[in-house]
mmCIF file of all heavy atoms in Angstrom:
data_model
loop_
_atom_site.group_PDB
_atom_site.id
_atom_site.type_symbol
_atom_site.label_atom_id
_atom_site.label_comp_id
_atom_site.label_asym_id
_atom_site.label_seq_id
_atom_site.Cartn_x
_atom_site.Cartn_y
_atom_site.Cartn_z
ATOM 1 N N SER A 299 16.515 25.352 0.830
ATOM 2 C CA SER A 299 17.225 25.309 -0.452
ATOM 3 C C SER A 299 16.371 24.745 -1.573
ATOM 4 O O SER A 299 16.706 24.893 -2.751
ATOM 5 C CB SER A 299 18.512 24.483 -0.311
ATOM 6 O OG SER A 299 18.214 23.147 0.055
ATOM 7 N N ALA A 300 15.258 24.094 -1.227
ATOM 8 C CA ALA A 300 14.347 23.537 -2.242
ATOM 9 C C ALA A 300 13.143 24.440 -2.472
ATOM 10 O O ALA A 300 12.140 24.010 -3.039
ATOM 11 C CB ALA A 300 13.888 22.151 -1.826
ATOM 12 N N GLN A 301 13.236 25.695 -2.041
ATOM 13 C CA GLN A 301 12.101 26.606 -2.066
ATOM 14 C C GLN A 301 11.450 26.715 -3.447
ATOM 15 O O GLN A 301 10.225 26.658 -3.584
ATOM 16 C CB GLN A 301 12.537 27.990 -1.600
ATOM 17 C CG GLN A 301 11.479 29.086 -1.742
ATOM 18 C CD GLN A 301 10.293 28.851 -0.828
ATOM 19 O OE1 GLN A 301 10.459 28.738 0.384
ATOM 20 N NE2 GLN A 301 9.100 28.775 -1.375
ATOM 21 N N GLU A 302 12.240 26.879 -4.494
ATOM 22 C CA GLU A 302 11.675 27.085 -5.833
ATOM 23 C C GLU A 302 10.866 25.871 -6.287
ATOM 24 O O GLU A 302 9.722 25.999 -6.738
ATOM 25 C CB GLU A 302 12.789 27.375 -6.834
ATOM 26 C CG GLU A 302 12.285 27.700 -8.235
ATOM 27 C CD GLU A 302 13.404 28.075 -9.186
ATOM 28 O OE1 GLU A 302 14.556 28.223 -8.740
ATOM 29 O OE2 GLU A 302 13.123 28.214 -10.404
ATOM 30 N N ALA A 303 11.462 24.682 -6.153
ATOM 31 C CA ALA A 303 10.751 23.465 -6.549
ATOM 32 C C ALA A 303 9.543 23.229 -5.662
ATOM 33 O O ALA A 303 8.480 22.802 -6.133
ATOM 34 C CB ALA A 303 11.693 22.261 -6.488
ATOM 35 N N LEU A 304 9.685 23.514 -4.382
ATOM 36 C CA LEU A 304 8.581 23.322 -3.437
ATOM 37 C C LEU A 304 7.396 24.209 -3.788
ATOM 38 O O LEU A 304 6.248 23.752 -3.798
ATOM 39 C CB LEU A 304 9.068 23.628 -2.020
ATOM 40 C CG LEU A 304 8.059 23.418 -0.890
ATOM 41 C CD1 LEU A 304 7.747 21.934 -0.724
ATOM 42 C CD2 LEU A 304 8.588 24.000 0.412
ATOM 43 N N SER A 305 7.656 25.456 -4.090
ATOM 44 C CA SER A 305 6.583 26.382 -4.447
ATOM 45 C C SER A 305 5.882 25.941 -5.724
ATOM 46 O O SER A 305 4.654 26.062 -5.841
ATOM 47 C CB SER A 305 7.146 27.798 -4.614
ATOM 48 O OG SER A 305 7.652 28.279 -3.380
ATOM 49 N N ALA A 306 6.648 25.423 -6.672
ATOM 50 C CA ALA A 306 6.053 24.959 -7.925
ATOM 51 C C ALA A 306 5.105 23.788 -7.675
ATOM 52 O O ALA A 306 4.007 23.721 -8.242
ATOM 53 C CB ALA A 306 7.151 24.558 -8.906
ATOM 54 N N VAL A 307 5.510 22.858 -6.817
ATOM 55 C CA VAL A 307 4.656 21.713 -6.498
ATOM 56 C C VAL A 307 3.385 22.172 -5.801
ATOM 57 O O VAL A 307 2.262 21.792 -6.169
ATOM 58 C CB VAL A 307 5.413 20.700 -5.614
ATOM 59 C CG1 VAL A 307 4.460 19.619 -5.091
ATOM 60 C CG2 VAL A 307 6.550 20.054 -6.390
ATOM 61 N N ALA A 308 3.522 23.003 -4.781
ATOM 62 C CA ALA A 308 2.368 23.462 -4.026
ATOM 63 C C ALA A 308 1.403 24.258 -4.899
ATOM 64 O O ALA A 308 0.177 24.100 -4.798
ATOM 65 C CB ALA A 308 2.825 24.311 -2.835
ATOM 66 N N THR A 309 1.934 25.103 -5.768
ATOM 67 C CA THR A 309 1.077 25.892 -6.662
ATOM 68 C C THR A 309 0.307 24.987 -7.606
ATOM 69 O O THR A 309 -0.894 25.168 -7.835
ATOM 70 C CB THR A 309 1.931 26.897 -7.456
ATOM 71 O OG1 THR A 309 2.575 27.780 -6.537
ATOM 72 C CG2 THR A 309 1.066 27.697 -8.418
ATOM 73 N N ARG A 310 0.993 23.996 -8.166
ATOM 74 C CA ARG A 310 0.343 23.066 -9.106
ATOM 75 C C ARG A 310 -0.806 22.327 -8.440
ATOM 76 O O ARG A 310 -1.825 22.038 -9.083
ATOM 77 C CB ARG A 310 1.380 22.080 -9.642
ATOM 78 C CG ARG A 310 0.813 20.987 -10.551
ATOM 79 C CD ARG A 310 1.925 20.156 -11.175
ATOM 80 N NE ARG A 310 2.701 19.427 -10.199
ATOM 81 C CZ ARG A 310 2.364 18.236 -9.708
ATOM 82 N NH1 ARG A 310 1.229 17.654 -10.104
ATOM 83 N NH2 ARG A 310 3.132 17.623 -8.826
ATOM 84 N N LEU A 311 -0.666 22.034 -7.160
ATOM 85 C CA LEU A 311 -1.658 21.222 -6.454
ATOM 86 C C LEU A 311 -2.691 22.050 -5.703
ATOM 87 O O LEU A 311 -3.602 21.496 -5.082
ATOM 88 C CB LEU A 311 -0.950 20.288 -5.464
ATOM 89 C CG LEU A 311 0.084 19.321 -6.056
ATOM 90 C CD1 LEU A 311 0.728 18.504 -4.957
ATOM 91 C CD2 LEU A 311 -0.552 18.424 -7.104
ATOM 92 N N GLY A 312 -2.543 23.360 -5.742
ATOM 93 C CA GLY A 312 -3.457 24.195 -4.975
ATOM 94 C C GLY A 312 -3.237 24.084 -3.483
ATOM 95 O O GLY A 312 -4.137 24.353 -2.687
ATOM 96 N N GLY A 313 -2.026 23.699 -3.087
ATOM 97 C CA GLY A 313 -1.691 23.575 -1.675
ATOM 98 C C GLY A 313 -0.918 24.777 -1.196
ATOM 99 O O GLY A 313 -0.977 25.858 -1.794
ATOM 100 N N SER A 314 -0.169 24.611 -0.120
ATOM 101 C CA SER A 314 0.636 25.718 0.401
ATOM 102 C C SER A 314 2.038 25.218 0.709
ATOM 103 O O SER A 314 2.209 24.132 1.282
ATOM 104 C CB SER A 314 -0.011 26.310 1.653
ATOM 105 O OG SER A 314 -0.189 25.326 2.647
ATOM 106 N N PRO A 315 3.074 25.990 0.331
ATOM 107 C CA PRO A 315 4.449 25.587 0.607
ATOM 108 C C PRO A 315 4.906 26.070 1.978
ATOM 109 O O PRO A 315 4.471 27.116 2.462
ATOM 110 C CB PRO A 315 5.232 26.285 -0.503
ATOM 111 C CG PRO A 315 4.456 27.543 -0.761
ATOM 112 C CD PRO A 315 3.005 27.197 -0.517
ATOM 113 N N LEU A 316 5.784 25.306 2.602
ATOM 114 C CA LEU A 316 6.375 25.715 3.869
ATOM 115 C C LEU A 316 7.844 25.298 3.873
ATOM 116 O O LEU A 316 8.163 24.114 3.935
ATOM 117 C CB LEU A 316 5.646 25.073 5.046
ATOM 118 C CG LEU A 316 6.247 25.358 6.434
ATOM 119 C CD1 LEU A 316 6.215 26.849 6.737
ATOM 120 C CD2 LEU A 316 5.529 24.557 7.516
ATOM 121 N N SER A 317 8.721 26.293 3.782
ATOM 122 C CA SER A 317 10.157 26.024 3.852
ATOM 123 C C SER A 317 10.550 25.854 5.309
ATOM 124 O O SER A 317 10.391 26.779 6.117
ATOM 125 C CB SER A 317 10.948 27.176 3.228
ATOM 126 O OG SER A 317 10.740 27.232 1.847
ATOM 127 N N CYS A 318 11.033 24.661 5.625
ATOM 128 C CA CYS A 318 11.340 24.371 7.027
ATOM 129 C C CYS A 318 12.252 23.155 7.097
ATOM 130 O O CYS A 318 11.996 22.135 6.462
ATOM 131 C CB CYS A 318 10.049 24.115 7.795
ATOM 132 S SG CYS A 318 10.269 23.608 9.504
ATOM 133 N N ASP A 319 13.317 23.272 7.849
ATOM 134 C CA ASP A 319 14.180 22.131 8.140
ATOM 135 C C ASP A 319 13.558 21.377 9.309
ATOM 136 O O ASP A 319 13.536 21.878 10.447
ATOM 137 C CB ASP A 319 15.582 22.630 8.500
ATOM 138 C CG ASP A 319 16.543 21.485 8.824
ATOM 139 O OD1 ASP A 319 16.091 20.319 8.897
ATOM 140 O OD2 ASP A 319 17.743 21.762 9.011
ATOM 141 N N ILE A 320 13.027 20.192 9.054
ATOM 142 C CA ILE A 320 12.277 19.481 10.101
ATOM 143 C C ILE A 320 13.155 19.076 11.274
ATOM 144 O O ILE A 320 12.646 18.767 12.356
ATOM 145 C CB ILE A 320 11.563 18.233 9.543
ATOM 146 C CG1 ILE A 320 12.568 17.210 8.998
ATOM 147 C CG2 ILE A 320 10.528 18.619 8.505
ATOM 148 C CD1 ILE A 320 11.968 15.856 8.743
ATOM 149 N N ALA A 321 14.489 19.088 11.093
ATOM 150 C CA ALA A 321 15.387 18.733 12.188
ATOM 151 C C ALA A 321 15.748 19.933 13.053
ATOM 152 O O ALA A 321 16.394 19.773 14.093
ATOM 153 C CB ALA A 321 16.652 18.090 11.637
ATOM 154 N N ALA A 322 15.327 21.131 12.638
ATOM 155 C CA ALA A 322 15.648 22.336 13.412
ATOM 156 C C ALA A 322 14.871 22.356 14.721
ATOM 157 O O ALA A 322 13.749 21.843 14.799
ATOM 158 C CB ALA A 322 15.333 23.578 12.584
ATOM 159 N N PRO A 323 15.426 22.964 15.774
ATOM 160 C CA PRO A 323 14.740 22.998 17.077
ATOM 161 C C PRO A 323 13.368 23.659 17.030
ATOM 162 O O PRO A 323 12.477 23.304 17.807
ATOM 163 C CB PRO A 323 15.713 23.786 17.958
ATOM 164 C CG PRO A 323 17.054 23.612 17.306
ATOM 165 C CD PRO A 323 16.774 23.547 15.839
ATOM 166 N N ASP A 324 13.198 24.629 16.123
ATOM 167 C CA ASP A 324 11.923 25.349 16.061
ATOM 168 C C ASP A 324 10.988 24.833 14.978
ATOM 169 O O ASP A 324 10.004 25.483 14.631
ATOM 170 C CB ASP A 324 12.178 26.844 15.843
ATOM 171 C CG ASP A 324 12.934 27.131 14.546
ATOM 172 O OD1 ASP A 324 13.451 26.169 13.925
ATOM 173 O OD2 ASP A 324 13.022 28.313 14.161
ATOM 174 N N ALA A 325 11.275 23.645 14.423
ATOM 175 C CA ALA A 325 10.479 23.114 13.303
ATOM 176 C C ALA A 325 9.008 22.954 13.683
ATOM 177 O O ALA A 325 8.106 23.327 12.924
ATOM 178 C CB ALA A 325 11.053 21.786 12.828
ATOM 179 N N ALA A 326 8.743 22.388 14.849
ATOM 180 C CA ALA A 326 7.351 22.166 15.262
ATOM 181 C C ALA A 326 6.611 23.484 15.420
ATOM 182 O O ALA A 326 5.441 23.610 15.027
ATOM 183 C CB ALA A 326 7.313 21.363 16.549
ATOM 184 N N ALA A 327 7.279 24.475 15.989
ATOM 185 C CA ALA A 327 6.638 25.782 16.174
ATOM 186 C C ALA A 327 6.322 26.425 14.832
ATOM 187 O O ALA A 327 5.250 27.030 14.649
ATOM 188 C CB ALA A 327 7.538 26.691 17.000
ATOM 189 N N ILE A 328 7.240 26.302 13.880
ATOM 190 C CA ILE A 328 7.015 26.864 12.542
ATOM 191 C C ILE A 328 5.826 26.172 11.874
ATOM 192 O O ILE A 328 4.960 26.814 11.265
ATOM 193 C CB ILE A 328 8.287 26.719 11.682
ATOM 194 C CG1 ILE A 328 9.390 27.623 12.236
ATOM 195 C CG2 ILE A 328 8.006 27.047 10.217
ATOM 196 C CD1 ILE A 328 10.737 27.417 11.560
ATOM 197 N N LEU A 329 5.769 24.849 11.980
ATOM 198 C CA LEU A 329 4.669 24.101 11.364
ATOM 199 C C LEU A 329 3.337 24.448 12.025
ATOM 200 O O LEU A 329 2.325 24.662 11.338
ATOM 201 C CB LEU A 329 4.941 22.599 11.478
ATOM 202 C CG LEU A 329 3.878 21.663 10.899
ATOM 203 C CD1 LEU A 329 3.605 21.976 9.435
ATOM 204 C CD2 LEU A 329 4.298 20.205 11.064
ATOM 205 N N ARG A 330 3.315 24.539 13.355
ATOM 206 C CA ARG A 330 2.070 24.875 14.038
ATOM 207 C C ARG A 330 1.587 26.273 13.641
ATOM 208 O O ARG A 330 0.383 26.486 13.439
ATOM 209 C CB ARG A 330 2.264 24.811 15.566
ATOM 210 C CG ARG A 330 2.420 23.415 16.113
ATOM 211 C CD ARG A 330 2.092 23.363 17.602
ATOM 212 N NE ARG A 330 2.788 24.390 18.364
ATOM 213 C CZ ARG A 330 3.987 24.240 18.931
ATOM 214 N NH1 ARG A 330 4.631 23.082 18.782
ATOM 215 N NH2 ARG A 330 4.531 25.210 19.620
ATOM 216 N N ALA A 331 2.508 27.213 13.516
ATOM 217 C CA ALA A 331 2.128 28.574 13.131
ATOM 218 C C ALA A 331 1.524 28.594 11.732
ATOM 219 O O ALA A 331 0.523 29.278 11.482
ATOM 220 C CB ALA A 331 3.348 29.494 13.199
ATOM 221 N N HIS A 332 2.094 27.812 10.818
ATOM 222 C CA HIS A 332 1.567 27.749 9.457
ATOM 223 C C HIS A 332 0.183 27.108 9.449
ATOM 224 O O HIS A 332 -0.740 27.602 8.793
ATOM 225 C CB HIS A 332 2.527 26.956 8.569
ATOM 226 C CG HIS A 332 2.129 26.915 7.129
ATOM 227 N ND1 HIS A 332 2.426 27.913 6.226
ATOM 228 C CD2 HIS A 332 1.423 25.985 6.422
ATOM 229 C CE1 HIS A 332 1.943 27.612 5.043
ATOM 230 N NE2 HIS A 332 1.329 26.439 5.138
ATOM 231 N N LEU A 333 0.028 26.033 10.205
ATOM 232 C CA LEU A 333 -1.256 25.334 10.236
ATOM 233 C C LEU A 333 -2.345 26.181 10.898
ATOM 234 O O LEU A 333 -3.524 26.047 10.560
ATOM 235 C CB LEU A 333 -1.103 24.002 10.963
ATOM 236 C CG LEU A 333 -0.305 22.921 10.228
ATOM 237 C CD1 LEU A 333 -0.042 21.730 11.133
ATOM 238 C CD2 LEU A 333 -1.029 22.478 8.957
ATOM 239 N N SER A 334 -1.973 27.033 11.817
ATOM 240 C CA SER A 334 -2.977 27.876 12.462
ATOM 241 C C SER A 334 -3.643 28.818 11.471
ATOM 242 O O SER A 334 -4.768 29.270 11.693
ATOM 243 C CB SER A 334 -2.334 28.686 13.595
ATOM 244 O OG SER A 334 -1.446 29.667 13.070
ATOM 245 N N VAL A 335 -2.952 29.060 10.344
ATOM 246 C CA VAL A 335 -3.499 29.933 9.298
ATOM 247 C C VAL A 335 -4.260 29.131 8.250
ATOM 248 O O VAL A 335 -5.410 29.446 7.916
ATOM 249 C CB VAL A 335 -2.376 30.753 8.627
ATOM 250 C CG1 VAL A 335 -2.934 31.594 7.471
ATOM 251 C CG2 VAL A 335 -1.688 31.642 9.644
ATOM 252 N N VAL A 336 -3.632 28.059 7.733
ATOM 253 C CA VAL A 336 -4.241 27.320 6.616
ATOM 254 C C VAL A 336 -5.200 26.227 7.090
ATOM 255 O O VAL A 336 -6.042 25.767 6.323
ATOM 256 C CB VAL A 336 -3.159 26.700 5.703
ATOM 257 C CG1 VAL A 336 -2.244 27.771 5.140
ATOM 258 C CG2 VAL A 336 -2.347 25.623 6.429
ATOM 259 N N ALA A 337 -5.067 25.787 8.346
ATOM 260 C CA ALA A 337 -5.943 24.721 8.870
ATOM 261 C C ALA A 337 -6.242 24.985 10.334
ATOM 262 O O ALA A 337 -5.822 24.231 11.226
ATOM 263 C CB ALA A 337 -5.275 23.358 8.688
ATOM 264 N N PRO A 338 -6.978 26.042 10.627
ATOM 265 C CA PRO A 338 -7.243 26.383 12.028
ATOM 266 C C PRO A 338 -8.004 25.298 12.786
ATOM 267 O O PRO A 338 -7.929 25.237 14.016
ATOM 268 C CB PRO A 338 -8.067 27.674 11.922
ATOM 269 C CG PRO A 338 -8.607 27.690 10.520
ATOM 270 C CD PRO A 338 -7.580 27.010 9.686
#
Side-chain angles (χ1 to χ4, degrees):
S299 61
Q301 173 66 57
E302 184 176 352
L304 183 68
S305 296
V307 171
T309 299
R310 176 173 64 85
L311 302 178
S314 57
L316 176 62
S317 292
C318 175
D319 180 353
I320 62 166
D324 60 349
I328 292 173
L329 179 56
R330 289 201 310 270
H332 184 84
L333 289 171
S334 69
V335 176
V336 301

